[in-house]
């Protein structure tokens, strides 16, 4: 039996290898973890035994997953999505549970299936994969689409439904005669624990988080988050409730503070790694021999639940007013099994409370895994499937294009606004003041309804689709403005516009300079980085208040813009930048002291070759005097402070060259 270090190394090695393959094949990493567990598990190669220590380690993955779900649990969000979450979501979970339990009651005369087992299986069947679906929705830019909003609402209720299920499953393991008492005691205990935590914790959490944040220590902040998460999980376990329930409460408490987004980013590495270990141990539960021996059951339990959930969710979505196409897409996206299904089965299996017999657990685990493997392909081909089976979808698309074309027919030399959020609406008001016509495309029906009622020229349409752009009068437009600051979405629009109308200028909004060059290379006429423009306006206002003539301020602004913000490229790195965000990959400034005896002393910048590695020397500070833009022939002296500009990797290479000792390597 391997020791703790050997066990960790084996799990990490296999996970890295298998997940790398799945990433290469563009499949979700979670499926790679499951397959890794199958390969190294006790029923296959037998490299890792199924021992309590492994399962307990993996349970921390569920703890951090539930913590992340708690962070998403906010009353304003629930209120905004209440019709979908507590209408469509509750109906889907409730009907799935009732249907599977009823089926278990009917077949108990032919198969040894208790109603307790049927209830656990019903809870697992009601779940869909939040990890797979949300990721694919984000990659396909469909989060704000009609079916995207319905899907996220249903997934949110499924995540919330896990909490009572985690409370009920331990109670079901008790003797039938004590079941009612045990369930009542569990509910009362959970209510008391949650009430105390939420009432008293809410008052203390914001003050405590502020106290820790004032230290401006990233390490302390992360340690504090771990303390809160694991501490509350420990308290709920002391109350004989699940670890995951305490982590969920911790997430809820922190979600109401201003540190929510920072915490979510900090906890993500721990959650992803430990959750990966959970899925590895889940895959270890699968016995391939049982699957081979019962292949017909595996296929049946893969296909039938997928079809049943597809029909149920599609029908419910139609009842709640969705079009046929939107309803079918919602059903196709949510038809597969989910990660919380594995959580419930792991708690209810022979390794947990013994509610699901091992042969059933093996077969059901295999079928759930197969359905999740099929999910990316169902989602990828969802549009084709919908168009194949829904004639109404063709009519709906034709109607949308007709409405777009009808709105743009009377316009020529108009501005085509892609996205009617805050920036799009501000632009529209500016154009209205100058009596310039525009046509705006957006995918939010509520926003479109309100804006149209107010007289704005906005229609429902996906700006990334060629037919929508043509219907919106792209060929007659004088300009296209992309107002959403998402690189992938903007790139899709740019590609479509350049193919259809290469001479139409395109202005693109972006967050910072990280995507400026790529958007320009993709065909953008102008790119407007929000942060740099904000800095430019801040500087211009300061100059005018200080008495600098307006003409000089305007000239400086024009020069900075014409140079594509070169003056603003690069910032000195600080503590606040260490967040793992894309900003950490931006061009940075770095001050470097040339020490006596360093390789760079007495040599010119050209001789050292640092300029050829993508590094610029913005200035040299020598004997307290700073000189800007030094020439490549400038020779360095001991005590010089160089202000270097470049990417983190290029800066590290340049520093190594300049500071290496005489006689050492002068290049990397």
């Amino acid at each position: 039996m391997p020791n703790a270090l050997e066990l960790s190394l084996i799990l990490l090695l296999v996970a890295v290898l298998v997940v790398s393959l799945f990433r290469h094949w563009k499949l979700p990493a979670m499926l790679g973890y499951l397959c890794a567990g199958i390969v190294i598990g006790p029923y296959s190669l037998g490299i890792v035994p199924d021992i309590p220590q492994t399962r307990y380690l993996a349970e921390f993955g569920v703890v951090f997953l539930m913590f992340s779900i708690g962070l998403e649990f906010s009353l304003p969000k629930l209120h905004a999505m209440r019709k979908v979450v507590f209408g469509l979501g509750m109906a889907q979970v409730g009907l799935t549970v009732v249907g599977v339990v009823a089926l278990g009651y009917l077949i108990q005369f032919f198969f040894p299936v208790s109603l307790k087992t049927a209830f656990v299986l019903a809870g697992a069947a009601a779940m869909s994969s939040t990890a797979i679906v949300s990721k694919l929705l984000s990659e396909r830019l469909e989060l704000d689409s009609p079916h995207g909003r319905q899907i996220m609402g249903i997934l949110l209720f499924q995540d919330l439904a896990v909490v009572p299920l985690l409370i009920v499953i331990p109670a079901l393991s008790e003797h039938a005669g004590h079941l009612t008492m045990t369930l009542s005691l569990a509910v009362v205990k959970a209510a008391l624990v949650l009430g105390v935590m939420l009432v008293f914790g809410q008052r203390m959490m914001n003050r405590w988080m502020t106290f820790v944040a004032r230290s401006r220590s990233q390490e302390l902040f992360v340690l504090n988050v771990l303390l809160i998460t694991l501490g509350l999980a420990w308290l709920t376990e002391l109350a004989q409730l699940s670890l995951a329930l305490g982590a969920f409460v911790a997430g809820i408490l922190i979600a109401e503070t201003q540190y929510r987004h920072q915490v979510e980013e900090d906890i993500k590495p721990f959650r992803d790694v430990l959750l990966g270990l959970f899925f590895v141990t889940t895959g270890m539960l699968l016995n391939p021999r049982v699957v081979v021996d019962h292949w017909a059951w595996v296929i049946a339990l893969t296909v039938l639940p997928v079809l049943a959930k597809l029909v149920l969710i599609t029908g419910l979505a139609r009842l709640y007013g969705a079009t046929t196409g939107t309803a079918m897409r919602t059903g196709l996206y949510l038809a597969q099994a989910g990660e919380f299904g594995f959580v419930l089965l792991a708690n209810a299996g022979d390794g947990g409370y013994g509610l699901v017999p091992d042969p059933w657990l093996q077969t059901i685990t295999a079928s759930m895994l197969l359905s999740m493997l099929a999910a990316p392909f169902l989602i990828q081909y969802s549009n084709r499937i919908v168009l194949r089976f829904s004639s109404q979808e063709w009519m709906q698309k034709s109607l949308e294009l007709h409405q777009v074309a009808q709105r743009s027919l009377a316009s020529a030399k108009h501005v085509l606004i892609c996205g009617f959020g805050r920036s799009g609406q501000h632009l529209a008001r500016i154009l209205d003041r100058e009596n310039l016509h525009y046509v705006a495309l957006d995918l939010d029906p509520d926003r479109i309804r309100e804006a149209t009622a107010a007289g704005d020229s906005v229609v429902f349409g996906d700006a990334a689709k060629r037919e929508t752009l043509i219907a919106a009068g792209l060929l007659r437009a004088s300009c296209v403005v992309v107002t959403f600051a998402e690189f992938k979405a903007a790139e899709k629009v740019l590609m479509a516009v350049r193919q259809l109308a290469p001479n139409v200028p395109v202005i693109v909004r972006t967050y910072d300079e990280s995507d400026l060059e790529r958007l320009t290379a993709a065909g953008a006429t102008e790119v407007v980085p929000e942060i740099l423009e904000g800095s430019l306006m801040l500087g211009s206002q300061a100059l005018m208040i200080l008495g600098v003539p307006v003409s000089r301020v305007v000239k400086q602004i024009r020069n900075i813009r014409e140079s594509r913000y070169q003056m603003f490229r690069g910032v000195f790195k600080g503590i606040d930048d260490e967040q793992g965000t894309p900003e950490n990959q931006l061009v940075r400034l770095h001050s470097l002291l040339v020490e006596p005896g360093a390789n760079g002393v007495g040599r010119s910048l050209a001789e050292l070759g640092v300029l050829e590695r993508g590094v610029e020397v913005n200035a040299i500070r020598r004997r307290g005097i700073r000189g800007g833009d030094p020439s490549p022939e400038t020779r360095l002296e001991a005590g010089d402070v160089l202000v270097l500009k470049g990417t983190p990797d290029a800066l590290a290479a340049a520093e190594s060259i300049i500071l290496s000792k005489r006689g050492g390597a002068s290049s990397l």
Side-chain angles (χ1 to χ4, degrees):
M1 181 180 295
N3 58 38
L5 178 59
E6 291 172 345
L7 180 63
S8 301
L9 287 174
I10 292 170
L11 291 174
L12 291 173
L13 175 62
V14 176
V16 168
L17 293 176
V18 176
V19 171
S20 297
L21 284 175
F22 273 65
R23 287 292 190 188
H24 178 70
W25 295 331
K26 297 184 178 179
L27 292 173
M30 182 176 59
L31 302 182
Y33 288 123
L34 290 168
C35 291
I38 295 172
V39 171
I40 66 174
Y43 303 110
S44 297
L45 298 180
I47 299 174
V48 178
D50 185 17
I51 54 178
Q53 292 89 334
T54 308
R55 289 196 298 269
Y56 194 77
L57 175 65
E59 192 171 353
F60 282 103
V62 183
V63 166
F64 286 105
L65 178 61
M66 289 301 293
F67 177 78
S68 299
I69 298 300
L71 284 176
E72 293 295 321
F73 185 92
S74 65
L75 292 178
K77 182 177 181 179
L78 280 179
H79 185 266
M81 302 178 65
R82 61 189 182 280
K83 291 182 180 178
V84 179
V85 175
F86 296 107
L88 188 54
M90 183 182 292
Q92 182 266 320
V93 172
L95 289 177
T96 302
V97 171
V98 170
V100 175
V101 171
L103 181 62
Y105 177 79
L106 293 175
I107 67 173
Q108 67 178 335
F109 302 106
F110 308 98
F111 299 97
V113 181
S114 68
L115 290 181
K116 293 180 181 179
T117 302
F119 180 81
V120 174
L121 298 180
M127 301 296 123
S128 303
S129 177
T130 302
I132 292 177
V133 175
S134 60
K135 183 176 184 298
L136 290 174
L137 277 174
S138 178
E139 288 179 352
R140 292 165 63 89
L141 306 175
E142 294 176 350
L143 284 171
D144 291 325
S145 64
H147 63 275
R149 284 189 292 272
Q150 286 198 336
I151 289 166
M152 294 309 296
I154 295 173
L155 287 174
L156 179 56
F157 186 83
Q158 289 180 1
D159 295 341
L160 297 178
V162 173
V163 176
L165 288 172
L166 289 174
I167 296 172
V168 170
I169 286 177
L172 291 177
S173 63
E174 299 292 333
H175 189 272
H178 305 291
L179 180 59
T180 303
M181 177 64 71
T182 305
L183 273 175
S184 302
L185 182 61
V187 171
V188 171
K189 193 185 300 181
L192 286 174
V193 171
L194 291 175
V196 171
M197 285 184 175
L198 292 174
V199 172
F200 293 99
Q202 192 65 59
R203 298 175 181 177
M204 298 172 56
M205 187 61 68
N206 197 53
R207 294 178 183 177
W208 175 251
M209 294 291 291
T210 302
F211 171 75
V212 173
R214 281 175 180 166
S215 68
R216 298 186 64 81
S217 169
Q218 183 68 16
E219 294 82 1
L220 181 60
F221 192 83
V222 174
L223 284 173
N224 179 58
V225 173
L226 293 175
L227 172 65
I228 293 170
T229 306
L230 298 179
L232 292 184
W234 175 71
L235 288 176
T236 53
E237 188 181 43
L238 281 182
Q240 297 180 336
L241 299 168
S242 69
L243 289 168
L245 182 61
F248 178 74
V249 175
I252 292 176
L253 294 176
I254 293 178
E256 298 302 319
T257 70
Q258 68 264 40
Y259 306 100
R260 165 185 180 174
H261 299 293
Q262 178 64 46
V263 169
E264 189 172 14
E265 192 66 33
D266 288 338
I267 211 70
K268 189 176 180 180
F270 300 97
R271 182 197 67 186
D272 292 347
V273 171
L274 292 172
L275 189 60
L277 290 179
F278 167 77
F279 287 122
V280 171
T281 56
T282 301
M284 289 167 55
L285 298 174
L286 184 64
N287 187 344
R289 175 59 60 184
V290 174
V291 175
V292 172
D293 293 341
H294 301 88
W295 62 269
W297 277 107
V298 172
I299 294 175
L301 290 174
T302 300
V303 175
L304 294 178
V306 168
L307 290 176
K309 284 179 74 174
L310 171 59
V311 172
L312 173 64
I313 295 173
T314 301
L316 288 173
R318 285 288 290 142
L319 286 176
Y320 276 81
T323 64
T324 303
T326 298
M328 287 186 67
R329 287 186 180 88
T330 305
L332 287 167
Y333 275 59
L334 297 174
Q336 84 292 132
E339 53 270 13
F340 279 123
F342 290 118
V343 174
L344 298 176
L345 289 179
N347 281 330
D350 289 342
Y353 295 100
L355 294 172
V356 181
D358 188 64
W360 281 90
L361 185 64
Q362 298 288 340
T363 307
I364 293 167
T365 300
S367 63
M368 290 171 63
L369 176 58
L370 288 176
S371 74
M372 293 172 74
L373 283 170
F377 302 102
L378 280 176
I379 294 172
Q380 181 179 352
Y381 295 104
S382 58
N383 286 332
R384 294 185 184 181
I385 295 172
V386 170
L387 292 174
R388 174 69 177 81
F389 291 99
S390 175
S391 58
Q392 184 182 353
E393 182 69 8
W394 286 103
M395 295 295 295
Q396 181 70 24
K397 285 190 173 295
S398 299
L399 179 61
E400 290 175 7
L401 292 177
H402 174 72
Q403 291 174 342
V404 174
Q406 190 177 35
R407 183 60 64 100
S408 67
L409 277 176
S411 300
K413 300 297 181 183
H414 58 285
V415 177
L416 181 54
I417 302 175
C418 302
F420 205 62
R422 182 176 299 180
S423 297
Q425 292 174 45
H426 292 169
L427 173 60
R429 291 168 190 167
I430 293 172
L431 295 174
D432 275 335
R433 285 202 168 191
E434 296 296 326
N435 294 319
L436 295 172
H437 297 292
Y438 69 88
V439 174
L441 298 172
D442 201 87
L443 290 172
D444 190 321
D446 294 332
R447 181 185 297 151
I448 292 169
R449 185 179 62 253
E450 298 242 355
T452 303
D456 289 327
S457 181
V458 55
V459 287
F460 184 91
D462 187 352
K465 294 183 177 178
R466 294 160 55 96
E467 58 270 22
T468 304
L469 291 172
I470 293 173
L474 172 63
L475 302 179
R476 303 188 306 275
S478 59
C479 179
V480 176
V481 182
V482 181
T483 66
F484 34 79
E486 294 178 358
F487 173 74
K488 289 184 178 179
E491 189 178 38
K492 282 188 175 182
V493 176
L494 277 170
M495 289 175 61
V497 171
R498 286 294 162 246
Q499 289 173 0
L500 296 169
N503 295 323
V504 175
V506 184
I507 303 171
V508 182
R509 167 189 166 223
T510 186
Y511 180 67
D512 53 34
E513 70 267 34
S514 59
D515 296 324
L516 196 151
E517 301 297 343
R518 289 191 293 171
L519 289 170
T520 302
T525 310
E526 292 291 340
V527 181
V528 181
E530 285 186 352
I531 289 182
L532 303 191
E533 277 295 320
S535 301
L536 193 57
M537 290 299 100
L538 188 67
S540 63
Q541 292 294 326
L543 290 177
M544 286 190 287
I545 288 175
L546 293 171
V548 178
V550 175
S551 59
R552 286 178 58 186
V553 174
V554 171
K555 182 180 179 181
Q556 186 160 180
I557 292 174
R558 184 173 63 249
N559 291 338
I560 292 173
R561 285 176 176 158
E562 287 177 352
S563 67
R564 293 193 177 276
Y565 309 95
Q566 286 297 328
M567 180 179 174
F568 290 165
R569 302 287 186 92
V571 292
F572 291 108
K573 183 174 67 174
I575 294 176
D576 294 340
D577 298 325
E578 296 289 346
Q579 311 299 339
T581 61
E583 188 178 354
N584 287 335
Q585 303 305 318
L586 299 178
V587 172
R588 292 197 176 279
L589 295 179
H590 177 51
S591 295
L592 180 65
L593 172 64
V594 181
E595 299 174 350
N599 180 53
V601 175
R603 304 178 67 178
S604 70
L605 297 173
E607 290 175 10
L608 291 169
V610 294
L611 304 179
E612 300 171 1
R613 295 178 178 271
V615 173
E616 297 178 26
V617 181
N618 274 17
I620 295 181
R621 186 167 175 265
R622 180 174 293 173
R623 292 183 287 276
I625 302 173
R626 173 170 170 150
D629 297 326
S631 71
E633 304 306 320
T634 302
R635 294 190 176 275
L636 305 183
E637 298 179 6
D640 285 352
V641 176
L642 309 182
V643 181
L644 307 178
K645 182 170 74 172
T647 62
D649 291 341
L651 290 173
E655 182 173 352
S656 178
I657 293 172
I658 295 171
L659 297 185
S660 61
K661 296 298 181 182
R662 288 284 188 179
S666 62
S667 62
L668 294 178

mmCIF file of all heavy atoms in Angstrom, residues 652-666:
data_model
loop_
_atom_site.group_PDB
_atom_site.id
_atom_site.type_symbol
_atom_site.label_atom_id
_atom_site.label_comp_id
_atom_site.label_asym_id
_atom_site.label_seq_id
_atom_site.Cartn_x
_atom_site.Cartn_y
_atom_site.Cartn_z
ATOM 1 N N ALA A 652 12.769 38.995 -17.052
ATOM 2 C CA ALA A 652 13.591 38.056 -16.279
ATOM 3 C C ALA A 652 14.851 37.680 -17.051
ATOM 4 O O ALA A 652 15.951 37.593 -16.473
ATOM 5 C CB ALA A 652 12.768 36.804 -15.950
ATOM 6 N N ALA A 653 14.711 37.470 -18.375
ATOM 7 C CA ALA A 653 15.875 37.121 -19.193
ATOM 8 C C ALA A 653 16.872 38.280 -19.245
ATOM 9 O O ALA A 653 18.090 38.088 -19.125
ATOM 10 C CB ALA A 653 15.417 36.742 -20.600
ATOM 11 N N ALA A 654 16.371 39.516 -19.425
ATOM 12 C CA ALA A 654 17.251 40.684 -19.484
ATOM 13 C C ALA A 654 17.977 40.899 -18.155
ATOM 14 O O ALA A 654 19.178 41.215 -18.121
ATOM 15 C CB ALA A 654 16.440 41.921 -19.847
ATOM 16 N N GLU A 655 17.278 40.719 -17.051
ATOM 17 C CA GLU A 655 17.899 40.890 -15.736
ATOM 18 C C GLU A 655 19.022 39.884 -15.529
ATOM 19 O O GLU A 655 20.090 40.213 -14.991
ATOM 20 C CB GLU A 655 16.842 40.728 -14.644
ATOM 21 C CG GLU A 655 17.395 40.937 -13.249
ATOM 22 C CD GLU A 655 16.299 40.952 -12.197
ATOM 23 O OE1 GLU A 655 15.110 40.945 -12.576
ATOM 24 O OE2 GLU A 655 16.638 40.978 -10.997
ATOM 25 N N SER A 656 18.792 38.645 -15.985
ATOM 26 C CA SER A 656 19.822 37.614 -15.847
ATOM 27 C C SER A 656 21.070 37.972 -16.645
ATOM 28 O O SER A 656 22.204 37.787 -16.185
ATOM 29 C CB SER A 656 19.262 36.263 -16.306
ATOM 30 O OG SER A 656 20.241 35.269 -16.236
ATOM 31 N N ILE A 657 20.884 38.512 -17.853
ATOM 32 C CA ILE A 657 22.022 38.888 -18.697
ATOM 33 C C ILE A 657 22.813 40.037 -18.076
ATOM 34 O O ILE A 657 24.043 40.012 -17.989
ATOM 35 C CB ILE A 657 21.539 39.283 -20.106
ATOM 36 C CG1 ILE A 657 20.961 38.064 -20.831
ATOM 37 C CG2 ILE A 657 22.667 39.897 -20.922
ATOM 38 C CD1 ILE A 657 20.286 38.412 -22.137
ATOM 39 N N ILE A 658 22.109 41.070 -17.608
ATOM 40 C CA ILE A 658 22.780 42.280 -17.118
ATOM 41 C C ILE A 658 23.486 42.033 -15.787
ATOM 42 O O ILE A 658 24.594 42.525 -15.558
ATOM 43 C CB ILE A 658 21.760 43.429 -16.991
ATOM 44 C CG1 ILE A 658 21.210 43.805 -18.384
ATOM 45 C CG2 ILE A 658 22.388 44.652 -16.329
ATOM 46 C CD1 ILE A 658 20.047 44.770 -18.336
ATOM 47 N N LEU A 659 22.872 41.247 -14.902
ATOM 48 C CA LEU A 659 23.404 41.103 -13.548
ATOM 49 C C LEU A 659 24.303 39.895 -13.351
ATOM 50 O O LEU A 659 24.880 39.738 -12.276
ATOM 51 C CB LEU A 659 22.245 41.028 -12.536
ATOM 52 C CG LEU A 659 21.351 42.264 -12.443
ATOM 53 C CD1 LEU A 659 20.345 42.095 -11.327
ATOM 54 C CD2 LEU A 659 22.175 43.531 -12.226
ATOM 55 N N SER A 660 24.407 39.016 -14.372
ATOM 56 C CA SER A 660 25.281 37.851 -14.203
ATOM 57 C C SER A 660 26.719 38.330 -13.991
ATOM 58 O O SER A 660 27.134 39.369 -14.495
ATOM 59 C CB SER A 660 25.196 36.936 -15.423
ATOM 60 O OG SER A 660 25.607 37.621 -16.590
ATOM 61 N N LYS A 661 27.489 37.555 -13.220
ATOM 62 C CA LYS A 661 28.855 37.951 -12.881
ATOM 63 C C LYS A 661 29.789 37.823 -14.084
ATOM 64 O O LYS A 661 29.566 37.021 -14.990
ATOM 65 C CB LYS A 661 29.382 37.087 -11.730
ATOM 66 C CG LYS A 661 28.613 37.280 -10.435
ATOM 67 C CD LYS A 661 28.710 38.704 -9.935
ATOM 68 C CE LYS A 661 27.964 38.884 -8.626
ATOM 69 N NZ LYS A 661 28.020 40.282 -8.152
ATOM 70 N N ARG A 662 30.815 38.609 -14.085
ATOM 71 C CA ARG A 662 31.830 38.560 -15.149
ATOM 72 C C ARG A 662 32.394 37.150 -15.267
ATOM 73 O O ARG A 662 32.690 36.492 -14.262
ATOM 74 C CB ARG A 662 32.969 39.510 -14.836
ATOM 75 C CG ARG A 662 32.619 40.971 -14.993
ATOM 76 C CD ARG A 662 32.566 41.396 -16.448
ATOM 77 N NE ARG A 662 32.422 42.835 -16.591
ATOM 78 C CZ ARG A 662 32.377 43.442 -17.756
ATOM 79 N NH1 ARG A 662 32.467 42.731 -18.872
ATOM 80 N NH2 ARG A 662 32.245 44.744 -17.817
ATOM 81 N N GLY A 663 32.522 36.701 -16.504
ATOM 82 C CA GLY A 663 33.040 35.354 -16.732
ATOM 83 C C GLY A 663 31.936 34.330 -16.845
ATOM 84 O O GLY A 663 32.172 33.215 -17.287
ATOM 85 N N GLY A 664 30.698 34.714 -16.424
ATOM 86 C CA GLY A 664 29.569 33.799 -16.555
ATOM 87 C C GLY A 664 28.967 33.918 -17.922
ATOM 88 O O GLY A 664 29.459 34.613 -18.803
ATOM 89 N N ALA A 665 27.831 33.224 -18.089
ATOM 90 C CA ALA A 665 27.135 33.267 -19.381
ATOM 91 C C ALA A 665 26.563 34.641 -19.578
ATOM 92 O O ALA A 665 25.993 35.247 -18.700
ATOM 93 C CB ALA A 665 26.034 32.207 -19.417
ATOM 94 N N SER A 666 26.727 35.150 -20.766
ATOM 95 C CA SER A 666 26.206 36.475 -21.097
ATOM 96 C C SER A 666 24.875 36.429 -21.777
ATOM 97 O O SER A 666 24.292 37.437 -22.067
ATOM 98 C CB SER A 666 27.198 37.214 -21.996
ATOM 99 O OG SER A 666 27.376 36.520 -23.200
#
